[in-house]
Amino acid sequence: MRWWNPVAIVRESFRAKIFALLFLVITVLSSSFTASYVLHEKKALTEKLLTEGNLLANLLAYNARLPLFAENIPMLSDVVDGLMEREQVLAVSVYDEQGRLLAEKLKPEKGGRTGGTIAPPGERAITSTRHVQREESIEFFAPVVTGMGTETSGYLLFEENPRHNISRTIGLVRVVIDRTEVNRRVNTLLMVSLLTTGLLLVLGSGA
Protein backbone atom coordinates (compact mmCIF):
# COMPACT_ATOMS: atom_id res chain seq x y z
CA MET A 1 0.00 0.00 0.00
CA ARG A 2 1.49 3.33 -1.05
CA TRP A 3 1.06 6.22 1.35
CA TRP A 4 0.17 9.64 0.00
CA ASN A 5 3.25 11.84 0.28
CA PRO A 6 2.66 15.52 -0.56
CA VAL A 7 6.38 16.29 -0.48
CA ALA A 8 7.08 13.64 -3.10
CA ILE A 9 4.22 14.90 -5.23
CA VAL A 10 5.58 18.43 -5.15
CA ARG A 11 9.03 17.18 -6.11
CA GLU A 12 7.78 15.11 -9.02
CA SER A 13 5.15 17.45 -10.46
CA PHE A 14 5.95 20.87 -11.91
CA ARG A 15 2.27 21.82 -11.60
CA ALA A 16 2.35 20.90 -7.92
CA LYS A 17 5.42 23.05 -7.43
CA ILE A 18 3.68 26.06 -8.96
CA PHE A 19 0.61 25.44 -6.82
CA ALA A 20 2.70 25.09 -3.64
CA LEU A 21 4.58 28.30 -4.43
CA LEU A 22 1.37 30.23 -5.06
CA PHE A 23 -0.14 28.80 -1.89
CA LEU A 24 2.90 29.91 0.12
CA VAL A 25 2.87 33.41 -1.38
CA ILE A 26 -0.85 33.82 -0.72
CA THR A 27 -0.42 32.60 2.86
CA VAL A 28 2.42 35.04 3.54
CA LEU A 29 0.58 37.98 1.94
CA SER A 30 -2.67 37.18 3.75
CA SER A 31 -0.90 36.84 7.10
CA SER A 32 0.97 40.12 6.56
CA PHE A 33 -2.19 41.94 5.56
CA THR A 34 -4.08 40.55 8.57
CA ALA A 35 -1.31 41.52 10.99
CA SER A 36 -0.99 45.01 9.49
CA TYR A 37 -4.75 45.58 9.58
CA VAL A 38 -5.12 44.41 13.18
CA LEU A 39 -2.16 46.51 14.36
CA HIS A 40 -3.56 49.55 12.55
CA GLU A 41 -6.96 49.13 14.19
CA LYS A 42 -5.37 48.59 17.60
CA LYS A 43 -3.34 51.77 17.21
CA ALA A 44 -6.40 53.75 16.11
CA LEU A 45 -8.51 52.51 19.04
CA THR A 46 -5.71 53.18 21.51
CA GLU A 47 -5.14 56.70 20.18
CA LYS A 48 -8.84 57.41 20.48
CA LEU A 49 -8.77 56.20 24.10
CA LEU A 50 -5.70 58.33 24.83
CA THR A 51 -7.37 61.41 23.39
CA GLU A 52 -10.49 60.82 25.47
CA GLY A 53 -8.45 60.17 28.60
CA ASN A 54 -6.43 63.34 28.17
CA LEU A 55 -9.60 65.37 27.74
CA LEU A 56 -11.16 63.87 30.87
CA ALA A 57 -8.02 64.45 32.94
CA ASN A 58 -7.76 68.07 31.80
CA LEU A 59 -11.47 68.60 32.43
CA LEU A 60 -11.14 67.20 35.95
CA ALA A 61 -8.09 69.36 36.63
CA TYR A 62 -9.99 72.45 35.47
CA ASN A 63 -13.12 71.69 37.51
CA ALA A 64 -11.06 70.84 40.59
CA ARG A 65 -9.24 74.19 40.71
CA LEU A 66 -11.65 76.16 42.90
CA PRO A 67 -12.57 73.42 45.41
CA LEU A 68 -8.91 72.40 45.67
CA PHE A 69 -7.76 75.98 46.17
CA ALA A 70 -10.46 76.50 48.81
CA GLU A 71 -9.80 73.05 50.31
CA ASN A 72 -13.50 72.30 49.97
CA ILE A 73 -13.52 68.50 50.19
CA PRO A 74 -17.33 68.02 49.73
CA MET A 75 -17.28 70.08 46.53
CA LEU A 76 -14.19 68.21 45.38
CA SER A 77 -16.00 64.91 45.96
CA ASP A 78 -18.89 66.15 43.82
CA VAL A 79 -16.49 66.89 40.97
CA VAL A 80 -15.03 63.39 41.28
CA ASP A 81 -18.50 61.80 41.38
CA GLY A 82 -19.46 63.59 38.18
CA LEU A 83 -16.55 62.05 36.29
CA MET A 84 -17.14 58.60 37.76
CA GLU A 85 -20.52 58.47 36.02
CA ARG A 86 -18.73 57.69 32.77
CA GLU A 87 -18.73 53.97 32.14
CA GLN A 88 -15.12 53.70 30.99
CA VAL A 89 -13.71 55.53 34.04
CA LEU A 90 -12.40 53.07 36.64
CA ALA A 91 -10.91 55.42 39.23
CA VAL A 92 -10.45 59.11 39.95
CA SER A 93 -8.06 60.63 42.48
CA VAL A 94 -7.27 64.22 43.48
CA TYR A 95 -4.11 65.19 45.37
CA ASP A 96 -3.04 68.49 46.92
CA GLU A 97 0.21 70.35 46.31
CA GLN A 98 2.09 68.14 48.79
CA GLY A 99 0.84 64.99 47.07
CA ARG A 100 -1.69 64.05 49.77
CA LEU A 101 -4.87 62.32 48.66
CA LEU A 102 -7.94 64.52 49.15
CA ALA A 103 -10.65 62.69 47.20
CA GLU A 104 -10.90 59.36 45.43
CA LYS A 105 -13.55 57.13 43.93
CA LEU A 106 -13.10 53.80 42.16
CA LYS A 107 -15.00 50.87 40.67
CA PRO A 108 -13.37 47.77 42.19
CA GLU A 109 -15.83 45.50 40.42
CA LYS A 110 -14.36 46.65 37.11
CA GLY A 111 -10.74 46.52 38.10
CA GLY A 112 -10.30 50.03 39.45
CA ARG A 113 -7.46 50.35 41.92
CA THR A 114 -6.53 53.03 44.39
CA GLY A 115 -3.75 55.44 43.57
CA GLY A 116 -2.48 55.47 47.15
CA THR A 117 -2.69 58.13 49.84
CA ILE A 118 0.39 59.86 48.41
CA ALA A 119 0.71 60.90 44.78
CA PRO A 120 3.35 58.99 42.77
CA PRO A 121 6.71 60.82 43.16
CA GLY A 122 7.29 60.87 39.42
CA GLU A 123 3.98 62.62 38.75
CA ARG A 124 4.07 65.44 41.34
CA ALA A 125 6.22 67.77 39.29
CA ILE A 126 4.49 67.31 35.92
CA THR A 127 3.54 70.43 34.01
CA SER A 128 1.25 68.82 31.44
CA THR A 129 -0.97 65.80 31.05
CA ARG A 130 0.81 62.46 30.86
CA HIS A 131 -0.27 58.84 30.90
CA VAL A 132 0.91 55.37 31.88
CA GLN A 133 -0.35 52.41 29.84
CA ARG A 134 -1.08 49.14 31.60
CA GLU A 135 -2.43 45.86 30.32
CA GLU A 136 -6.10 46.49 31.17
CA SER A 137 -6.15 50.23 31.88
CA ILE A 138 -4.47 53.57 31.19
CA GLU A 139 -3.70 56.04 33.98
CA PHE A 140 -3.77 59.76 33.18
CA PHE A 141 -2.21 62.45 35.34
CA ALA A 142 -2.79 66.19 34.97
CA PRO A 143 -1.62 69.12 37.12
CA VAL A 144 -4.17 71.43 38.72
CA VAL A 145 -2.98 74.92 37.89
CA THR A 146 -4.24 78.32 38.97
CA GLY A 147 -3.24 81.49 37.16
CA MET A 148 -3.90 85.18 37.59
CA GLY A 149 -2.99 88.26 35.61
CA THR A 150 -0.44 90.63 37.13
CA GLU A 151 1.01 93.93 36.03
CA THR A 152 4.57 95.11 36.41
CA SER A 153 4.72 98.93 36.49
CA GLY A 154 8.29 98.99 35.17
CA TYR A 155 7.07 97.72 31.80
CA LEU A 156 3.99 99.90 31.39
CA LEU A 157 5.79 102.49 29.24
CA PHE A 158 7.49 99.98 26.99
CA GLU A 159 4.93 97.23 26.30
CA GLU A 160 1.50 97.42 24.80
CA ASN A 161 0.33 94.47 26.87
CA PRO A 162 2.18 94.39 30.21
CA ARG A 163 -0.21 91.83 31.70
CA HIS A 164 1.19 88.34 31.97
CA ASN A 165 0.12 85.14 33.69
CA ILE A 166 1.70 83.67 36.77
CA SER A 167 0.61 80.08 37.18
CA ARG A 168 0.95 77.89 40.23
CA THR A 169 0.45 74.16 40.52
CA ILE A 170 -1.78 73.44 43.51
CA GLY A 171 -2.44 69.76 43.00
CA LEU A 172 -2.66 66.72 40.78
CA VAL A 173 -5.51 64.62 39.38
CA ARG A 174 -5.46 60.99 38.30
CA VAL A 175 -7.98 59.33 35.98
CA VAL A 176 -7.92 55.61 35.18
CA ILE A 177 -9.59 54.55 31.92
CA ASP A 178 -10.65 50.98 31.16
CA ARG A 179 -9.01 49.49 28.07
CA THR A 180 -10.46 45.97 28.29
CA GLU A 181 -13.09 46.87 25.69
CA VAL A 182 -10.35 47.90 23.26
CA ASN A 183 -8.49 44.65 23.94
CA ARG A 184 -11.69 42.65 23.40
CA ARG A 185 -12.42 44.36 20.08
CA VAL A 186 -8.87 43.81 18.88
CA ASN A 187 -8.96 40.11 19.85
CA THR A 188 -12.32 39.68 18.11
CA LEU A 189 -10.99 41.41 15.00
CA LEU A 190 -7.92 39.19 15.02
CA MET A 191 -9.99 36.00 15.30
CA VAL A 192 -12.35 37.05 12.50
CA SER A 193 -9.43 38.00 10.25
CA LEU A 194 -7.65 34.70 10.88
CA LEU A 195 -10.81 32.69 10.24
CA THR A 196 -11.51 34.62 7.03
CA THR A 197 -7.94 34.13 5.82
CA GLY A 198 -8.05 30.41 6.63
CA LEU A 199 -11.39 29.99 4.85
CA LEU A 200 -10.11 31.73 1.74
CA LEU A 201 -7.01 29.54 1.70
CA VAL A 202 -9.10 26.36 2.06
CA LEU A 203 -11.43 27.45 -0.74
CA GLY A 204 -8.47 28.40 -2.91
CA SER A 205 -6.75 25.07 -2.37
CA GLY A 206 -9.98 23.22 -3.15
CA ALA A 207 -10.38 25.09 -6.38
PDB file of all heavy atoms in Angstrom, residues 85-105:
ATOM      1  N   GLU A  85     -19.307  58.932  36.689  1.00  0.00           N
ATOM      2  CA  GLU A  85     -20.524  58.469  36.024  1.00  0.00           C
ATOM      3  C   GLU A  85     -20.243  57.906  34.631  1.00  0.00           C
ATOM      4  O   GLU A  85     -21.067  57.190  34.079  1.00  0.00           O
ATOM      5  CB  GLU A  85     -21.519  59.620  35.919  1.00  0.00           C
ATOM      6  CG  GLU A  85     -22.073  60.075  37.273  1.00  0.00           C
ATOM      7  CD  GLU A  85     -23.055  61.215  37.143  1.00  0.00           C
ATOM      8  OE1 GLU A  85     -23.274  61.669  35.987  1.00  0.00           O
ATOM      9  OE2 GLU A  85     -23.595  61.653  38.167  1.00  0.00           O
ATOM     10  N   ARG A  86     -19.092  58.228  34.090  1.00  0.00           N
ATOM     11  CA  ARG A  86     -18.730  57.692  32.772  1.00  0.00           C
ATOM     12  C   ARG A  86     -18.352  56.226  32.914  1.00  0.00           C
ATOM     13  O   ARG A  86     -17.574  55.853  33.794  1.00  0.00           O
ATOM     14  CB  ARG A  86     -17.578  58.488  32.172  1.00  0.00           C
ATOM     15  CG  ARG A  86     -17.959  59.923  31.837  1.00  0.00           C
ATOM     16  CD  ARG A  86     -16.787  60.658  31.225  1.00  0.00           C
ATOM     17  NE  ARG A  86     -17.176  61.988  30.789  1.00  0.00           N
ATOM     18  CZ  ARG A  86     -17.650  62.298  29.588  1.00  0.00           C
ATOM     19  NH1 ARG A  86     -17.769  61.334  28.685  1.00  0.00           N
ATOM     20  NH2 ARG A  86     -17.991  63.525  29.277  1.00  0.00           N
ATOM     21  N   GLU A  87     -18.882  55.415  32.021  1.00  0.00           N
ATOM     22  CA  GLU A  87     -18.725  53.965  32.139  1.00  0.00           C
ATOM     23  C   GLU A  87     -17.273  53.512  32.053  1.00  0.00           C
ATOM     24  O   GLU A  87     -16.852  52.583  32.745  1.00  0.00           O
ATOM     25  CB  GLU A  87     -19.550  53.270  31.052  1.00  0.00           C
ATOM     26  CG  GLU A  87     -19.526  51.761  31.129  1.00  0.00           C
ATOM     27  CD  GLU A  87     -20.391  51.120  30.063  1.00  0.00           C
ATOM     28  OE1 GLU A  87     -21.035  51.867  29.297  1.00  0.00           O
ATOM     29  OE2 GLU A  87     -20.415  49.879  29.987  1.00  0.00           O
ATOM     30  N   GLN A  88     -16.489  54.161  31.202  1.00  0.00           N
ATOM     31  CA  GLN A  88     -15.123  53.697  30.989  1.00  0.00           C
ATOM     32  C   GLN A  88     -14.143  54.157  32.067  1.00  0.00           C
ATOM     33  O   GLN A  88     -12.992  53.717  32.085  1.00  0.00           O
ATOM     34  CB  GLN A  88     -14.608  54.154  29.618  1.00  0.00           C
ATOM     35  CG  GLN A  88     -14.316  55.639  29.512  1.00  0.00           C
ATOM     36  CD  GLN A  88     -15.542  56.437  29.137  1.00  0.00           C
ATOM     37  OE1 GLN A  88     -16.658  56.072  29.459  1.00  0.00           O
ATOM     38  NE2 GLN A  88     -15.326  57.542  28.446  1.00  0.00           N
ATOM     39  N   VAL A  89     -14.583  55.042  32.966  1.00  0.00           N
ATOM     40  CA  VAL A  89     -13.709  55.533  34.035  1.00  0.00           C
ATOM     41  C   VAL A  89     -13.711  54.542  35.194  1.00  0.00           C
ATOM     42  O   VAL A  89     -14.764  54.231  35.755  1.00  0.00           O
ATOM     43  CB  VAL A  89     -14.157  56.927  34.517  1.00  0.00           C
ATOM     44  CG1 VAL A  89     -13.282  57.383  35.687  1.00  0.00           C
ATOM     45  CG2 VAL A  89     -14.068  57.933  33.375  1.00  0.00           C
ATOM     46  N   LEU A  90     -12.522  54.053  35.560  1.00  0.00           N
ATOM     47  CA  LEU A  90     -12.402  53.073  36.639  1.00  0.00           C
ATOM     48  C   LEU A  90     -12.079  53.709  37.977  1.00  0.00           C
ATOM     49  O   LEU A  90     -12.507  53.205  39.023  1.00  0.00           O
ATOM     50  CB  LEU A  90     -11.303  52.053  36.298  1.00  0.00           C
ATOM     51  CG  LEU A  90     -11.513  51.201  35.043  1.00  0.00           C
ATOM     52  CD1 LEU A  90     -10.330  50.264  34.855  1.00  0.00           C
ATOM     53  CD2 LEU A  90     -12.816  50.413  35.141  1.00  0.00           C
ATOM     54  N   ALA A  91     -11.319  54.783  37.973  1.00  0.00           N
ATOM     55  CA  ALA A  91     -10.912  55.416  39.231  1.00  0.00           C
ATOM     56  C   ALA A  91     -10.554  56.869  38.986  1.00  0.00           C
ATOM     57  O   ALA A  91     -10.072  57.235  37.907  1.00  0.00           O
ATOM     58  CB  ALA A  91      -9.734  54.671  39.858  1.00  0.00           C
ATOM     59  N   VAL A  92     -10.786  57.690  40.001  1.00  0.00           N
ATOM     60  CA  VAL A  92     -10.448  59.113  39.954  1.00  0.00           C
ATOM     61  C   VAL A  92      -9.838  59.497  41.299  1.00  0.00           C
ATOM     62  O   VAL A  92     -10.388  59.154  42.349  1.00  0.00           O
ATOM     63  CB  VAL A  92     -11.687  59.990  39.669  1.00  0.00           C
ATOM     64  CG1 VAL A  92     -11.311  61.467  39.724  1.00  0.00           C
ATOM     65  CG2 VAL A  92     -12.293  59.651  38.323  1.00  0.00           C
ATOM     66  N   SER A  93      -8.727  60.185  41.254  1.00  0.00           N
ATOM     67  CA  SER A  93      -8.055  60.633  42.482  1.00  0.00           C
ATOM     68  C   SER A  93      -7.650  62.085  42.334  1.00  0.00           C
ATOM     69  O   SER A  93      -7.289  62.535  41.248  1.00  0.00           O
ATOM     70  CB  SER A  93      -6.806  59.786  42.771  1.00  0.00           C
ATOM     71  OG  SER A  93      -7.105  58.408  42.762  1.00  0.00           O
ATOM     72  N   VAL A  94      -7.705  62.827  43.457  1.00  0.00           N
ATOM     73  CA  VAL A  94      -7.270  64.223  43.482  1.00  0.00           C
ATOM     74  C   VAL A  94      -6.301  64.392  44.643  1.00  0.00           C
ATOM     75  O   VAL A  94      -6.606  63.998  45.776  1.00  0.00           O
ATOM     76  CB  VAL A  94      -8.459  65.190  43.640  1.00  0.00           C
ATOM     77  CG1 VAL A  94      -7.963  66.634  43.653  1.00  0.00           C
ATOM     78  CG2 VAL A  94      -9.473  64.989  42.514  1.00  0.00           C
ATOM     79  N   TYR A  95      -5.144  64.978  44.367  1.00  0.00           N
ATOM     80  CA  TYR A  95      -4.106  65.192  45.373  1.00  0.00           C
ATOM     81  C   TYR A  95      -3.845  66.690  45.528  1.00  0.00           C
ATOM     82  O   TYR A  95      -4.019  67.463  44.576  1.00  0.00           O
ATOM     83  CB  TYR A  95      -2.806  64.497  44.974  1.00  0.00           C
ATOM     84  CG  TYR A  95      -2.942  63.009  44.737  1.00  0.00           C
ATOM     85  CD1 TYR A  95      -3.279  62.513  43.477  1.00  0.00           C
ATOM     86  CD2 TYR A  95      -2.725  62.101  45.765  1.00  0.00           C
ATOM     87  CE1 TYR A  95      -3.395  61.147  43.251  1.00  0.00           C
ATOM     88  CE2 TYR A  95      -2.845  60.729  45.550  1.00  0.00           C
ATOM     89  CZ  TYR A  95      -3.177  60.273  44.290  1.00  0.00           C
ATOM     90  OH  TYR A  95      -3.300  58.923  44.066  1.00  0.00           O
ATOM     91  N   ASP A  96      -3.380  67.091  46.709  1.00  0.00           N
ATOM     92  CA  ASP A  96      -3.037  68.491  46.921  1.00  0.00           C
ATOM     93  C   ASP A  96      -1.602  68.756  46.490  1.00  0.00           C
ATOM     94  O   ASP A  96      -0.925  67.884  45.920  1.00  0.00           O
ATOM     95  CB  ASP A  96      -3.265  68.899  48.381  1.00  0.00           C
ATOM     96  CG  ASP A  96      -2.338  68.154  49.345  1.00  0.00           C
ATOM     97  OD1 ASP A  96      -1.435  67.440  48.881  1.00  0.00           O
ATOM     98  OD2 ASP A  96      -2.541  68.289  50.564  1.00  0.00           O
ATOM     99  N   GLU A  97      -1.117  69.949  46.768  1.00  0.00           N
ATOM    100  CA  GLU A  97       0.212  70.351  46.312  1.00  0.00           C
ATOM    101  C   GLU A  97       1.322  69.496  46.916  1.00  0.00           C
ATOM    102  O   GLU A  97       2.365  69.287  46.298  1.00  0.00           O
ATOM    103  CB  GLU A  97       0.441  71.819  46.669  1.00  0.00           C
ATOM    104  CG  GLU A  97       1.682  72.425  46.067  1.00  0.00           C
ATOM    105  CD  GLU A  97       1.790  73.915  46.364  1.00  0.00           C
ATOM    106  OE1 GLU A  97       0.907  74.440  47.083  1.00  0.00           O
ATOM    107  OE2 GLU A  97       2.750  74.537  45.892  1.00  0.00           O
ATOM    108  N   GLN A  98       1.097  68.990  48.126  1.00  0.00           N
ATOM    109  CA  GLN A  98       2.089  68.143  48.794  1.00  0.00           C
ATOM    110  C   GLN A  98       1.976  66.674  48.396  1.00  0.00           C
ATOM    111  O   GLN A  98       2.731  65.833  48.878  1.00  0.00           O
ATOM    112  CB  GLN A  98       1.962  68.262  50.321  1.00  0.00           C
ATOM    113  CG  GLN A  98       2.479  69.565  50.908  1.00  0.00           C
ATOM    114  CD  GLN A  98       1.561  70.738  50.609  1.00  0.00           C
ATOM    115  OE1 GLN A  98       0.338  70.585  50.663  1.00  0.00           O
ATOM    116  NE2 GLN A  98       2.146  71.889  50.295  1.00  0.00           N
ATOM    117  N   GLY A  99       1.010  66.352  47.523  1.00  0.00           N
ATOM    118  CA  GLY A  99       0.840  64.987  47.075  1.00  0.00           C
ATOM    119  C   GLY A  99      -0.075  64.158  47.944  1.00  0.00           C
ATOM    120  O   GLY A  99      -0.171  62.940  47.764  1.00  0.00           O
ATOM    121  N   ARG A 100      -0.778  64.786  48.887  1.00  0.00           N
ATOM    122  CA  ARG A 100      -1.685  64.049  49.768  1.00  0.00           C
ATOM    123  C   ARG A 100      -3.041  63.839  49.095  1.00  0.00           C
ATOM    124  O   ARG A 100      -3.562  64.741  48.453  1.00  0.00           O
ATOM    125  CB  ARG A 100      -1.876  64.806  51.088  1.00  0.00           C
ATOM    126  CG  ARG A 100      -0.604  64.921  51.925  1.00  0.00           C
ATOM    127  CD  ARG A 100      -0.797  65.827  53.110  1.00  0.00           C
ATOM    128  NE  ARG A 100      -1.136  67.187  52.690  1.00  0.00           N
ATOM    129  CZ  ARG A 100      -1.199  68.237  53.514  1.00  0.00           C
ATOM    130  NH1 ARG A 100      -0.948  68.070  54.791  1.00  0.00           N
ATOM    131  NH2 ARG A 100      -1.503  69.426  53.050  1.00  0.00           N
ATOM    132  N   LEU A 101      -3.583  62.656  49.268  1.00  0.00           N
ATOM    133  CA  LEU A 101      -4.866  62.321  48.657  1.00  0.00           C
ATOM    134  C   LEU A 101      -5.996  63.055  49.368  1.00  0.00           C
ATOM    135  O   LEU A 101      -6.154  62.966  50.587  1.00  0.00           O
ATOM    136  CB  LEU A 101      -5.099  60.809  48.743  1.00  0.00           C
ATOM    137  CG  LEU A 101      -6.397  60.284  48.128  1.00  0.00           C
ATOM    138  CD1 LEU A 101      -6.397  60.492  46.615  1.00  0.00           C
ATOM    139  CD2 LEU A 101      -6.581  58.805  48.463  1.00  0.00           C
ATOM    140  N   LEU A 102      -6.812  63.781  48.593  1.00  0.00           N
ATOM    141  CA  LEU A 102      -7.940  64.521  49.147  1.00  0.00           C
ATOM    142  C   LEU A 102      -9.278  63.882  48.807  1.00  0.00           C
ATOM    143  O   LEU A 102     -10.215  63.925  49.604  1.00  0.00           O
ATOM    144  CB  LEU A 102      -7.923  65.966  48.651  1.00  0.00           C
ATOM    145  CG  LEU A 102      -6.707  66.812  49.026  1.00  0.00           C
ATOM    146  CD1 LEU A 102      -6.872  68.224  48.487  1.00  0.00           C
ATOM    147  CD2 LEU A 102      -6.513  66.842  50.535  1.00  0.00           C
ATOM    148  N   ALA A 103      -9.396  63.316  47.626  1.00  0.00           N
ATOM    149  CA  ALA A 103     -10.654  62.690  47.203  1.00  0.00           C
ATOM    150  C   ALA A 103     -10.345  61.580  46.225  1.00  0.00           C
ATOM    151  O   ALA A 103      -9.445  61.709  45.386  1.00  0.00           O
ATOM    152  CB  ALA A 103     -11.581  63.724  46.554  1.00  0.00           C
ATOM    153  N   GLU A 104     -11.114  60.488  46.336  1.00  0.00           N
ATOM    154  CA  GLU A 104     -10.898  59.363  45.432  1.00  0.00           C
ATOM    155  C   GLU A 104     -12.153  58.511  45.364  1.00  0.00           C
ATOM    156  O   GLU A 104     -12.816  58.279  46.369  1.00  0.00           O
ATOM    157  CB  GLU A 104      -9.713  58.510  45.888  1.00  0.00           C
ATOM    158  CG  GLU A 104      -9.403  57.352  44.936  1.00  0.00           C
ATOM    159  CD  GLU A 104      -8.198  56.548  45.380  1.00  0.00           C
ATOM    160  OE1 GLU A 104      -8.231  55.994  46.500  1.00  0.00           O
ATOM    161  OE2 GLU A 104      -7.224  56.478  44.601  1.00  0.00           O
ATOM    162  N   LYS A 105     -12.459  58.067  44.162  1.00  0.00           N
ATOM    163  CA  LYS A 105     -13.554  57.133  43.930  1.00  0.00           C
ATOM    164  C   LYS A 105     -13.061  56.087  42.929  1.00  0.00           C
ATOM    165  O   LYS A 105     -12.295  56.400  42.028  1.00  0.00           O
ATOM    166  CB  LYS A 105     -14.789  57.848  43.362  1.00  0.00           C
ATOM    167  CG  LYS A 105     -15.448  58.812  44.335  1.00  0.00           C
ATOM    168  CD  LYS A 105     -16.080  58.086  45.512  1.00  0.00           C
ATOM    169  CE  LYS A 105     -16.649  59.049  46.537  1.00  0.00           C
ATOM    170  NZ  LYS A 105     -17.743  59.878  45.998  1.00  0.00           N
TER     171      LYS A 105
END
